[in-house]
Amino acid sequence: MEDNREIPAVIILAAGKGTRMNSAIPKVLHKLRGKPLLNHLLKTLSGLSAARVMVVTGSGAAEVEESLRQIPDNRNVRTVRQEPQSGTGHAVAQCLPLLEDIEGSVLVLSGDTPGVRTSTLLNLDRERTLSGAGVSLLVGNLENPRGYGRILREPDGKIVGIREQKDLEGDQDRIREVNLGVYSFDASFLRREIPRLDDGNAQKEYYLTDLVGAAARAGVKVVSFPSEDSHEAKGINTLSELADMEAKMNANNIQRLMDSGVRIVDPDNTWIDDSVSIEPDAVIHPMTFLRGTTRIGSGTVIEPGAVVTDSVIGRNARILPYCVISGSEVGDGASVGPFSHMRPGSRLGPSTKIGNFVETKKVTVGEGSKVSHLTYIGDAEIGEKVNIGAGCVTCNYDGFAKYRTVIQDGVFVGSGTMIVAPVTLGKGSLVAAGSTITRDVAPDALAVARARQSEKEGWAARRRENLSGNGKKDKS
Ligand code: UD1
Ligand code: CA
C-alpha cells in the first residue's frame, strides 16, 4: 500500500559517546557497507516525507556535523547539540524548542540502528495514529536480549514500562521482548512528559524509555509494533555487532542476487554492495569485492580475489585472479589479469586482452588488441588489433606534465619498448624490441631505436683462460 503521509518531525539520536566501540571515531560515523551509520538512517528517511529532521550531536559533534554536510539533499536536516550527554531522554529534550510548533507524529530513531526500513517506520507510525496512542514502539523478540531494554507487560499484555539492562530486577533478565529504540510519539505527549523525566537509575541518565512507564501511569495508550525481521533494528554498540550487521546485510544482498540467477560460488566470502548490478549467469568466485556503481554482464566470470569499484564489465568477459579495477570499462569477451591493475579511465574494447602485471590508466584499447605482460599504459589511445609486447611503458610524465600516446590500428610493439609521449605510432607500423621511441613512427614503417650491438671477438674465451692460468683475479 502506498503511504505518503508527511511525518511532521524526526529526531535521530547521535550524541552518545559510543563507549563500547572503544574507538576514537564517533559511533555514528563508523562505516557500514562503505558509508557512515548515520547515512543509512538518512537514506531510510529519504523514502518517506519528513518535514523536519533533527540530528542530536554531542560526542564528536564537529565531525558528525561535517559528515552530515557532505550528504547531498540534506536541506531539511538540522543539528541540535546535546552537552553533556545525559541520556536519550535528555537528548530529545534538546529538541523541544524545535518541536513547539509540531502537531502529530515525532519519530525518534537511534543513530546506531542503521538497518531499520522505511516501511517499518511508516507501519510503526500508522499503528500509533490509528490506535490513538501517545507512543508506539518497535519491539523484537531476541534469542539473546542482553543489553536491550526489556518490555514490561501486565498479565493482560498491557505495556507498563521498559526496564534497561542495568536496572533489571529479579528474573526480568529472562524477558526476551526488547525495545529496539525506534519510536513514534505524539508531539504534545512529548512536550508534556520530557521535562518530567528524572535520572533515578543505575546510569544516572535521563532515559527516553521512561516515557513508556509515564504514559502507562497517565492513562496514555502505548502500543508496540513487532519488527518483522528483528535483525533489521539491531543496535550497534560494539565493533563485533557492526561486523555482524555488515555480514547480515551482505548476505541479504547476495541472496537476492542468487535468486535472480547470479552464480555466487562462496556466499560467505564474497562482498557485494547493494548498489552493484549483475546480470544472470555471471559467475562470481570467492574473495571478491564488488563495489559502488559496478555493473557486470551475463556470462562473465570473475575469478577469485577481484576488487572492482565503480566499473562496467561487459558480457562473457573474464577477470582472472587478483585484479584491482576502478572507474573502468571492460568490453564484451575481454580478458583481464591475473594480477592486473586497471586505474580510472581505462576502457577496454570487446575481445581485448590485458595480461598479468599490467597497469592501465586513462586509456582506450580497441577491439582485439592485446597487452599481455608486465606493461604500463596510461594517457593513451590504442587502436584495434594492436599487440604490445612484454615490459613496455608509455612514458607519459616528464615531471611537469602528462602527455598522450596514440598507437593506431594493427601496430606491433616489440618487448621492452619505452614510448616517450607525446608520440604517435602510425597504423600498421612495427617497433623493434628494446626501442626507446621519441618521435612519431610513420604508418607501415619499422622503427628501431636502440644502440647498435658491438662484439669483441674471442674476448670471453681469453678471459676464462687468464683466470684459470694464474689463479688471480682478472683486472681488465
Ligand atoms: C537504548 C535504549 C534501550 C534499547 C536500545 C536499542 C534507552 C535508555 N535505552 O539503549 O531500551 O533497547 O537503545 O538499541 O534509551 N544518545 C544520545 N545522547 C545520550 C545518550 C545516547 O544522543 O546522552 C544516542 C546514542 O548516540 C545512540 C542512541 O542514543 O545513537 C542510543 O544510545 P545507547 O547508549 O546506544 O543506548 P542503549 O544502551 O543501546
Ligand atoms: Ca545502542
Side-chain angles (χ1 to χ4, degrees):
M1 184 177 48
E2 191 73 2
D3 189 341
N4 28 29
R5 284 170 301 137
E6 179 169 86
I7 307 281
V10 180
I11 298 174
I12 301 178
L13 307 180
K17 292 184 241 337
T19 317
R20 291 163 279 182
M21 298 297 261
N22 288 319
S23 156
I25 302 166
K27 175 155 78 172
V28 295
L29 295 189
H30 273 274
K31 286 189 176 165
L32 171 70
R33 310 279 285 150
K35 53 180 196 222
L37 296 183
L38 198 48
N39 296 36
H40 287 262
L41 284 164
L42 291 165
K43 176 93 195 331
T44 306
L45 291 180
S46 68
L48 53 80
S49 85
R52 187 175 298 167
V53 177
M54 289 152 268
V55 178
V56 184
T57 61
S59 289
E63 275 171 84
V64 175
E65 287 158 13
E66 178 53 33
S67 166
L68 280 169
R69 273 192 287 276
Q70 310 295 322
I71 298 176
D73 200 23
N74 58 4
R75 274 164 293 135
N76 67 344
V77 178
R78 308 194 190 181
T79 56
V80 176
R81 288 262 180 128
Q82 182 199 12
E83 218 42 80
Q85 293 84 47
S86 306
T88 48
H90 182 254
V92 171
Q94 311 314 304
C95 299
L96 287 178
L98 285 169
L99 293 175
E100 265 167 24
D101 57 335
I102 300 283
E103 286 308 322
S105 295
V106 180
L107 294 185
V108 178
L109 321 178
S110 300
D112 64 354
T113 58
V116 66
R117 283 181 296 216
T118 309
S119 58
T120 302
L121 295 178
L122 289 170
N123 290 336
L124 172 77
D125 185 58
R126 191 187 303 109
E127 191 77 12
R128 188 190 70 73
T129 49
L130 291 183
S131 62
V135 193
S136 65
L137 39 121
L138 190 67
V139 298
N141 250 295
L142 300 186
E143 200 73 29
N144 174 13
R146 222 192 136 64
Y148 286 84
R150 310 298 211 284
I151 308 296
L152 306 182
R153 291 184 186 261
E154 285 189 335
D156 65 358
K158 182 177 172 234
I159 297 178
V160 290
I162 297 177
R163 189 62 53 83
E164 291 305 303
Q165 174 77 40
K166 289 186 177 147
D167 302 297
L168 295 178
E169 290 165 3
D171 57 3
Q172 287 170 336
D173 63 346
R174 291 221 293 266
I175 301 173
R176 284 174 42 189
E177 191 185 15
V178 302
N179 167 34
L180 291 171
V182 180
Y183 321 81
S184 164
F185 290 103
D186 173 61
S188 54
F189 169 78
L190 269 188
R191 279 193 293 267
R192 189 180 70 235
E193 294 294 337
I194 284 280
R196 298 182 183 166
L197 288 174
D198 66 48
D199 62 356
N201 53 55
Q203 305 189 80
K204 297 272 167 293
E205 285 186 354
Y206 295 88
Y207 290 164
L208 183 61
T209 46
D210 283 350
L211 291 184
V212 171
R217 284 192 298 277
V220 172
K221 195 165 178 183
V222 179
V223 290
S224 64
F225 183 78
S227 161
E228 278 164 39
D229 161 11
S230 59
H231 206 101
E232 90 168 277
K234 276 208 168 149
I236 291 175
N237 298 315
T238 63
L239 289 176
S240 140
E241 285 164 352
L242 179 60
D244 283 347
M245 180 65 84
E246 184 111 51
K248 177 68 179 168
M249 286 185 165
N250 187 55
N252 287 347
N253 190 38
I254 297 253
Q255 187 63 48
R256 178 184 66 84
L257 289 166
M258 291 194 294
D259 291 345
S260 74
V262 177
R263 166 90 165 106
I264 293 173
V265 177
D266 181 359
D268 291 340
N269 289 297
T270 305
W271 294 83
I272 304 180
D273 285 357
D274 299 346
S275 47
V276 169
S277 69
I278 311 182
E279 290 182 352
D281 292 316
V283 180
I284 316 293
H285 285 272
M287 308 313 298
T288 286
F289 298 77
L290 304 177
R291 297 176 169 156
T293 58
T294 294
R295 283 185 282 143
I296 293 174
S298 110
T300 285
V301 179
I302 311 279
E303 295 197 2
V307 181
V308 184
T309 309
D310 300 334
S311 295
V312 180
I313 317 283
R315 298 191 169 145
N316 301 312
R318 199 167 188 101
I319 309 297
L320 292 144
Y322 306 108
C323 290
V324 177
I325 301 177
S326 309
S328 293
E329 286 173 34
V330 175
D332 295 348
S335 158
V336 177
F339 302 102
S340 300
H341 185 189
M342 291 180 62
R343 293 166 51 206
S346 303
R347 284 160 50 213
L348 305 186
S351 305
T352 46
K353 180 185 172 192
I354 294 292
N356 52 183
F357 304 105
V358 172
E359 175 180 338
T360 66
K361 186 211 73 172
K362 279 193 192 151
V363 57
T364 57
V365 180
E367 181 162 359
S369 290
K370 293 184 175 146
V371 185
S372 298
H373 332 266
L374 299 151
T375 285
Y376 170 69
I377 44 170
D379 299 312
E381 186 186 312
I382 296 177
E384 295 180 2
K385 296 202 165 54
V386 166
N387 192 317
I388 298 190
C392 296
V393 176
T394 51
C395 309
N396 57 334
Y397 186 51
D398 62 1
F400 300 96
K402 300 277 169 71
Y403 302 95
R404 285 186 68 71
T405 296
V406 177
I407 302 180
Q408 295 177 345
D409 295 349
V411 168
F412 180 96
V413 179
S415 296
T417 293
M418 298 296 114
I419 306 165
V420 184
V423 73
T424 296
L425 309 185
K427 191 171 173 184
S429 62
L430 197 151
V431 176
S435 291
T436 296
I437 297 296
T438 53
R439 282 176 308 177
D440 290 354
V441 176
D444 294 321
L446 164 69
V448 188
R450 61 189 178 215
R452 221 170 243 289
Q453 186 167 326
S454 69
E455 286 184 28
K456 296 182 180 172
E457 223 174 277
W459 185 92
R462 283 197 300 280
R463 184 171 190 217
R464 273 193 302 275
E465 220 164 81
N466 281 347
L467 284 174
S468 62
N470 53 24
K472 283 186 195 151
K473 279 198 178 155
D474 176 39
K475 290 191 186 122
S476 70

